[in-house]
Amino acid sequence: MGDLEVFTRKQFEVMYYIFKVRGANVHQIVEYYKGDSSYRNNKSALNRMYEMLRRLQSKNILTNIPVGQREAAMYHLTPYGLELVYEELKVDYRTTGKGFNNDHGYFPYQVYKPPTKSIKHFLNQTTVHTTVLNIQKRVPGVYDYRDNLYAKVAY
């Protein structure tokens, strides 16, 4: 792996959230980033987040999938973005992890990437995951949630 991209702490927080949930729309990203669902439709917060997402896309860290004409696109990590997060978290290809308590496992991109069918259903799951992650930020250790990705691979 060559020189890794330089990103800010705030950008990595967004990258990490997207890593945890595998895909999210801008409203969910803002809700997680701000830690409060009341920001989901705040125009100023949305505009700032769109700008950050554009910067991450221009660095080939994120990409998005259109969801529908009236729906916000779903953002997810590119293969390069996933590699950056793994590098930052020190997860190598031999790591299985359990998914709980930040015990991250390594998944090849083809397994990791979010679904391209039933995206609205997947985003509903992301909403629940976001709520749990925000509770964890406020009250660490209360409960944990892991993506069903860990059910895709036998250990």
Side-chain angles (χ1 to χ4, degrees):
M1 183 161 49
D3 294 331
L4 291 177
E5 193 69 44
V6 175
F7 41 82
T8 68
R9 181 190 58 76
K10 290 178 181 182
Q11 287 173 330
F12 186 74
E13 185 176 349
V14 169
M15 292 163 59
Y16 180 71
Y17 164 71
I18 293 173
F19 168 76
K20 288 283 284 188
V21 298
R22 295 176 46 216
N25 66 36
V26 68
H27 301 279
Q28 294 165 323
I29 297 168
V30 165
E31 179 179 341
Y32 173 77
Y33 187 76
K34 293 290 191 178
D36 186 338
S37 63
S38 67
Y39 284 94
R40 281 181 73 99
N41 295 309
N42 179 290
K43 286 197 182 289
S44 177
L46 288 169
N47 286 336
R48 283 193 302 277
M49 186 56 64
Y50 272 124
E51 182 55 36
M52 183 186 297
L53 295 171
R54 274 192 290 279
R55 275 185 253 131
L56 291 170
Q57 282 184 289
S58 73
K59 295 177 177 185
N60 193 33
I61 294 171
L62 292 181
T63 190
N64 67 46
I65 300 171
V67 176
Q69 289 183 336
R70 297 178 189 259
E71 306 285 333
M74 178 177 69
Y75 291 85
H76 63 94
L77 294 169
T78 63
Y80 175 65
L82 182 59
E83 177 184 346
L84 290 175
V85 173
Y86 281 152
E87 181 74 19
E88 187 71 17
L89 297 175
K90 296 176 180 29
V91 175
D92 77 12
Y93 72 94
R94 296 175 300 252
T95 305
T96 56
K98 300 291 184 212
F100 291 115
N101 301 313
N102 298 319
D103 180 19
H104 306 295
Y106 175 89
F107 296 94
Y109 188 76
Q110 289 307 105
V111 174
Y112 168 82
K113 71 180 184 177
T116 55
K117 295 180 182 173
S118 303
I119 294 174
K120 289 181 183 181
H121 174 77
F122 179 81
L123 290 174
N124 286 336
Q125 175 182 312
T126 299
T127 297
V128 172
H129 200 157
T130 302
T131 300
V132 171
L133 290 171
N134 279 335
I135 291 169
Q136 286 176 319
K137 285 196 297 189
R138 286 192 297 275
V139 188
V142 170
Y143 53 110
D144 206 352
Y145 179 97
R146 72 176 177 176
D147 189 271
N148 63 6
L149 179 67
Y150 288 85
K152 287 179 90 170
V153 177
Y155 295 107

